[in-house]
Structures are given as C-alpha cells and as structure tokens.
Amino acid sequence: MVQAEKAEKQGSRAGAREDLERAIIDAAERVFAEAGFGGATMQAIADRCGLPKANLHYYFASKQQLYRRVVERIFHVWLEAADSFESSATPEVALRRYITRKMELSRTHRFGSKVWANEVMHGAPIIQDFLETTLRDWTESRARVIRRWIAAGSVRPVDPHWLLYMIWATTQHYADFAHQIETLNQGPLTDAQWDEATDTVCAIILRGIGLEGKA
Amino acid sequence: MVQAEKAEKQGSRAGAREDLERAIIDAAERVFAEAGFGGATMQAIADRCGLPKANLHYYFASKQQLYRRVVERIFHVWLEAADSFESSATPEVALRRYITRKMELSRTHRFGSKVWANEVMHGAPIIQDFLETTLRDWTESRARVIRRWIAAGSVRPVDPHWLLYMIWATTQHYADFAHQIETLNQGPLTDAQWDEATDTVCAIILRGIGLEGKA
DNA sequence: AATGATCTTGACTGAATGGTCAAGTCTGCT
DNA sequence: AGCAGACTTGACCATTCAGTCAAGATCATT
C-alpha cells in the first residue's frame, strides 16, 4: 500500500489523526468563542475533548497555531457559502440565496462566527494576510457583479461595499449576538422564528435596493 | 463646606478623583477593546494612562469591577442615543435620526462598541442583569412604537425585533469590524464615505420597510 | 504649622498557564 | 515475535499576572 492509499482509508492511522485533529479544532472553536483567545486555556480545550493537555501539543505546536486553524476553517466556510452568489440567474435569486445561506451558517456555525468576529475586532493579528488577499479579492469580485446589476438597471445605485457590509453584519449578528437575541426573546429562536427573520432580512434588503416583488 | 458642595467643585479632591477615574476607564476601554477581557492586563491599562498598576487597584478593586464600569458606560451611551427615536414627528425622521446617530457613535465610540460586542459574544457574564431588565424594557418599548407605525399603515408589517437587530447589526458593524472595513478600503473611511455609508444604510432600510421617499 | 485623611507606589506573592519532556503504550509491518 | 515509528500522558518548569501591602508623599482643614 502506498502512502496516498493509506491516507485515504478511514480507520487507518492517518484517518484517525484527521478525526482527532477535527475533534480538537471543534473543541477549540467553542472554547475560543466562549472565552476569547486570551481567556481560553489549553486545559479547557483539552477537557472539552477529553484529552490530556500534553496531547494537544502533540498535534498543534502552540495555542496560536491551533487558533489559526480554527479561524482558517470558518473563513473557508464563509467563502464556500458565497459561491451560490454568482451561479444564480438573477440578482434577486443570487442575493436571496446568499442571505439565506449566511443565516443558516449563523445558526449552524455560531461558534466559528464568534471566533472570526473576535479575531477581526482585535485587529486580525493572526489572519491579516487573509484579509488583504483572499477576502479582498473575493469582495472586489462580488462588487463587480453588483455593479453590473446596477448598470443593467436591476438594482438601484449603491456602493456595493455598503450593501455587502450590511448583509454580513445583519446575518452574522444572529450568531455573534445570539446571546442577546435569546435573552430578549426569552429563549432560543424557534424554527419558525429563524425562517421569519430570514424572510424579513431578505425582504428589507431586496426591497431596499429596488428588487421588491421581482424575486 | 459641606460634603455635597465639596463634591461639586472641580479641582477639589472629589473632582480630581472623577477625572482620574475617567482617565482610567478611557484607557481600560481601549485595552479591553483591543485585547478582550482575558487578554487585557492591568499593567497595559496602567501604562496607557501613565499610572502605576497599584494605583488602579486603589480606584477599582478588581479587573472585573473596572471592566464592568467600562461596559456600563457604553451601555448608557447606547441608551441615550436612542432617545431621539421617540421624540420625532414621523417614522421616517425617527428612524433616520436613530440610524444616523448610531453610525456616529460607531465612529466616535469604536472601542466601547467593541467591548460591548465582546461582552455579549461571551455570554454577557458581567452584565446579564442589564440585558434582562433595562435592555429588554427599552427594546419592547421601541417595538411597541414600531407596531403602532405598522398599525397606522406607515410601515410595512415586520416583526420589530428583526428590524431593530438589523439596525444594531449594521451600524455597529462599522465599529466592531472597522479593521476589516479599513483593510478592504485600503485605509480609514473618509468623511464623505461615512456620510455615503450612512445615507445608504438609511436608504436601504427605510425603503425596505416601505418608507422610501417619504423622508 | 500640625494633623489626619487621602492618595501613591515599588516590591512582593500566590495562583494560573503555555509549553516541555522523558518514560511509557500502542499499531502496523515484516 | 519483534521492531520502528507513531502516539499518549503525568509531572514539571518558567513566566505572567491579578491583587496585596506597607511605607511614604500630598493635601485640606484648623
């Protein structure tokens, strides 16, 4: 068996290693989200995934390296989520899909979103390079698409950046400020409430840029 | 001179004390915003306001107590900002004023906003009581106003909560994610950009809830 | 000027924490 | 079976940090 085949086979050493690393990253994501980088301790992460602390350091050289992996992971989830943005037939469908997808991610990836927010709020000390390269490229490419829509007259003229920020802010708010929302709501949002919130966000934004009723 | 008069007179001991406390809170706000509660150190705060660390502990018993004061301060700034909400003649003016004011606060109170975001993201361990009392009351009172507008037919029917969350999220994003925005913008927003962003946010939201052109 | 209260500060302490290490255990291969 | 490399882990260390303290400086009042 060559190396590549070994690596693919689940249950093998390589597969087990991947599973373990993922379990550690899962635990770390949660702990970092709940305590921030400074407040999180390797011990807490170790406890959460039932491993001795020294074991974490076998897989991840340092706290910072583990943290970087966590941030990278959520960053890539964001990016993939945005693919539906371009592959849609009309601006209405594209935006509605994108917003809906981002709301789903806020629900399913609450902790990752928080870690990302934390990192950016603290000046992105770890992933500044991503902001300057991948995120900038991604943003400008979507901005161009939006400008095309505007030029075609489907969307009212706005600077695409302010629109994108609004979408990011609003959708991520449901993850990052989930605690506040749940306090005001006297409990977690129900399925129906998530749907309603998503519909409302779509409706306000689409209508706000002149797409009401066209979707 | 009785105690009350002493306390009022600036330059007196009481006045100097207030000044110092404010200076410490200013420094703390910045350091907490930049490093999070766990990452902030009393030494860093002391350095920033040029005081020996031991002195901070003379004015504030613990790091947590100092932190609480910081969070309380920004919280009250938020609340005051919202007064213009009710005192306006029409929904358009009220909302436009409120959004504009919140955008200004995101520009002038960037650090406070970040500390607040941090606190809420981590489950509001310190100010949970505020969320459950003051913030809930405030929110429900504004929600009632919005429902009245809806009943009067000025605003399209939406659950007021989703609308408020959208306003909070979008405006605070300009403070909390300032670093990301500035990276994408290749520099701080200019005065003109702030105005444009504010106008765009107002326009999308107002139009989104059926108030376009009425303001 | 004397006095008592308020304020200042360098030095210290105890606890927590990231990271290391060396002595083990397990796994898959021949 | 036996071996080599991968993995596990309890104990340990160096550092950092919140908070303390006691000796001294400063200030308002008489």
Side-chain angles (χ1 to χ4, degrees), chain A residues 56-74:
Chain A
L56 264 59
H57 278 100
Y58 177 75
Y59 289 101
F60 300 93
S62 67
K63 184 183 178 185
Q64 206 178 94
Q65 206 165 104
L66 173 54
Y67 176 75
R68 190 175 222 276
R69 288 287 296 275
V70 171
V71 178
E72 283 177 14
R73 191 171 71 165
I74 184 66

Side-chain angles (χ1 to χ4, degrees), chain A residues 33-36 38-39 114 116-118 120-124 128 131-132 135-136 139 156 158-159 162-163 165-166 168-170 172-174 176-177 179-181 183-184 186 189 193 196-197 200-201 204-205 207-210 212, chain B residues 33-36 38-39 114 116-118 120-124 128 131-132 135-136 139 156 158-159 162-163 165-166 168-170 172-174 176-177 179-181 183-184 186 189 193 196-197 200-201 204-205 207-210 212:
Chain A
E34 278 166 1
K114 286 181 179 185
W116 173 264
N118 238 299
V120 172
M121 274 204 312
H122 298 344
Q128 179 63 25
L131 295 189
E132 285 171 7
L135 183 62
R136 180 137 63 207
T139 305
R156 310 187 96 221
V158 289
D159 185 319
W162 317 140
L163 174 59
Y165 298 161
M166 184 170 218
W168 296 346
T170 304
Q172 285 165 226
H173 185 84
Y174 283 84
D176 302 340
F177 288 75
H179 178 79
Q180 178 173 298
I181 290 176
T183 298
L184 294 176
Q186 314 232 39
L189 298 188
Q193 283 180 310
E196 205 196 300
T200 303
V201 171
I204 293 179
I205 291 180
R207 177 168 251 273
I209 57 173
E212 75 279 11
Chain B
E34 279 166 0
K114 285 182 179 183
W116 173 264
N118 238 299
V120 172
M121 274 204 314
H122 298 344
Q128 179 63 27
L131 293 189
E132 285 172 6
L135 183 62
R136 178 136 65 208
T139 305
R156 311 186 96 222
V158 289
D159 185 318
W162 316 140
L163 174 58
Y165 298 161
M166 185 171 218
W168 296 346
T170 304
Q172 286 164 226
H173 184 84
Y174 284 84
D176 302 339
F177 289 73
H179 178 80
Q180 178 173 297
I181 290 175
T183 297
L184 295 177
Q186 315 232 37
L189 299 189
Q193 285 180 310
E196 204 195 300
T200 303
V201 171
I204 294 180
I205 291 180
R207 178 168 252 272
I209 57 174
E212 74 280 11

Side-chain angles (χ1 to χ4, degrees), chain B residues 95-123:
Chain B
L95 283 174
R96 190 178 288 276
R97 262 197 210 155
Y98 179 50
I99 292 169
T100 303
R101 183 82 188 109
K102 286 228 65 204
M103 285 294 281
E104 282 168 11
L105 288 178
S106 283
R107 197 176 184 187
T108 57
H109 289 63
R110 177 190 291 198
F111 298 111
S113 179
K114 285 182 179 183
V115 176
W116 173 264
N118 238 299
E119 167 68 6
V120 172
M121 274 204 314
H122 298 344

